[in-house]
Amino acid sequence: PRTPTRDAAPSSQIPLLAIGATRNIGDYEVIGQIGQGASSRVYQGKHMRTGDIVAIKLLHLSSTEAKARKRFASEAAMMSTLRHPNILNLIEVGRVADTDFLVMEYAGGGDAIGLVREHGGKLTEAHATRLILQCAEALVAVHAAGVAHRDIKPSNIFLSKAGDAKLGDFGLALDRHRDAQLTADGMTVGTPAYMAPEQIRGNRDEAQLSDIYGLGATWFHLLCGRPPFDEATAYATFLAVERNPVPDPRTLDISISEDCWIALQLMMKKKHTERPQSVGEVVALLHSIPH
């Protein structure tokens, strides 16, 4: 689909946005901030004509480095090629006061971290598996487009009001068709508790198989209320990911089926060659688990 790109709104509005005041970005009224990352802020917005609620990702005012802007542009170009019911789809790309922004679907149901808390610290096997299956189906489309997400974790799984999973935040994604060396081999990219061993070592060649590991680690978190490996420091977590077996949830007093445990272990194999070799295989594996 064509992604509209345009300049928007007077520059005087942007400093106020940075301190949280309600202002407009193009056709959207900014309702309030709903998230913040290393180089961007995310706001809830409303289209002033249609009333549609959206999420607006705005590059930090301080993020003027060429690389940050290049990554943001790469994210926009990559997201414009992706469409799936279980992805937070891109609506519009623009620039205001020389600051770039993306307008995306607003899921409306929070994220998987909040969902786990709402359910007393863990989800049932059926509930967790349904969400992971929806993310796996989204990843089929993502991988088919030559993209690897590289930061799959519960806080990047958003929920529609109906409770369906919406995979979001492609800020660290690797696009084989548009790779501008924003991350080179040997550079560690991701969130330690959900990263595969080869991802820790900076191997980009197996990034799609690393997504399968990350999906498994996220599934573990939904089932158990915590990541499989989450040590006091990133370095200690890296060592645990590299060396320690995946904890059996049943030793943590979590009731899961043998089929679920077998699938979980397969997705989180230390050697990427021992995991399912495509996310399509993961979809079939998850469908095979009795519900």
Side-chain angles (χ1 to χ4, degrees):
R2 185 179 66 85
T3 302
T5 304
R6 57 188 174 88
D7 291 332
S11 62
S12 61
Q13 295 177 346
I14 294 307
L16 295 175
L17 272 177
I19 60 173
T22 299
R23 287 295 185 272
N24 300 339
I25 295 181
D27 296 328
Y28 301 91
E29 174 190 351
V30 175
I31 297 171
Q33 185 171 323
I34 55 176
Q36 181 166 328
S39 62
S40 61
R41 294 184 179 92
V42 181
Y43 299 87
Q44 185 184 33
K46 181 173 72 173
H47 194 282
M48 290 183 286
R49 180 174 56 82
T50 67
D52 291 341
I53 301 299
V54 299
I56 304 170
K57 186 174 184 179
L58 187 73
L59 196 64
H60 281 170
L61 291 177
S62 59
S63 298
T64 56
E65 300 89 349
K67 191 169 184 178
R69 296 191 70 163
K70 195 172 185 180
R71 178 180 290 284
F72 205 79
S74 177
E75 178 182 0
M78 177 270 301
M79 288 190 68
S80 71
T81 69
L82 301 177
R83 280 292 182 275
H84 192 274
N86 298 114
I87 293 175
L88 285 182
N89 292 306
L90 182 68
I91 297 171
E92 185 176 333
V93 180
R95 179 174 294 174
V96 54
D98 204 33
T99 300
D100 301 300
F101 69 89
L102 310 178
V103 181
M104 299 168 290
E105 282 185 88
Y106 178 69
D111 61 27
I113 286 282
L115 184 69
V116 168
R117 284 197 294 264
E118 290 170 12
H119 285 75
K122 60 183 179 181
L123 303 183
T124 64
E125 178 181 324
H127 194 174
T129 303
R130 180 176 67 85
L131 295 178
I132 294 300
L133 175 58
Q134 289 175 339
C135 290
E137 290 171 339
L139 279 174
V140 170
V142 172
H143 288 183
V147 174
H149 188 283
R150 298 202 297 181
D151 198 22
I152 298 172
K153 57 186 177 181
S155 60
N156 283 342
I157 297 175
F158 301 89
L159 302 165
S160 70
K161 290 183 178 179
D164 292 321
K166 295 268 191 178
L167 187 61
D169 196 344
F170 284 78
L172 296 181
L174 177 68
D175 186 340
R176 291 296 184 188
H177 302 305
R178 296 179 178 82
D179 183 17
Q181 298 300 317
L182 294 175
T183 56
D185 279 329
M187 181 181 294
T188 299
V189 172
T191 301
Y194 308 94
M195 290 170 65
E198 71 278 0
Q199 190 175 0
I200 290 170
R201 294 190 292 270
N203 181 348
R204 298 189 308 165
D205 292 338
E206 311 302 338
Q208 293 190 346
L209 296 180
S210 298
D211 278 352
I212 291 173
Y213 179 100
L215 195 62
T218 298
W219 191 15
F220 185 102
H221 190 144
L222 300 187
L223 291 165
C224 302
R226 45 152 278 196
F229 306 107
D230 191 19
E231 307 302 321
T233 66
Y235 179 70
T237 300
F238 287 160
L239 288 180
V241 169
E242 289 271 12
R243 300 175 180 177
N244 297 348
V246 179
D248 186 338
R250 294 168 298 187
T251 66
L252 305 173
D253 199 28
I254 305 297
S255 177
I256 65 169
S257 68
E258 184 67 20
D259 290 322
C260 178
W261 174 226
I262 290 171
L264 192 61
Q265 290 178 94
L266 281 173
M267 292 168 67
M268 294 185 64
K269 287 288 188 181
K270 305 292 186 188
K271 295 181 179 179
H272 61 82
T273 55
E274 297 178 356
R275 293 175 213 144
Q277 293 300 289
S278 73
V279 74
E281 291 182 31
V282 173
V283 169
L285 184 64
L286 294 172
H287 273 301
S288 72
I289 298 174
H291 291 80

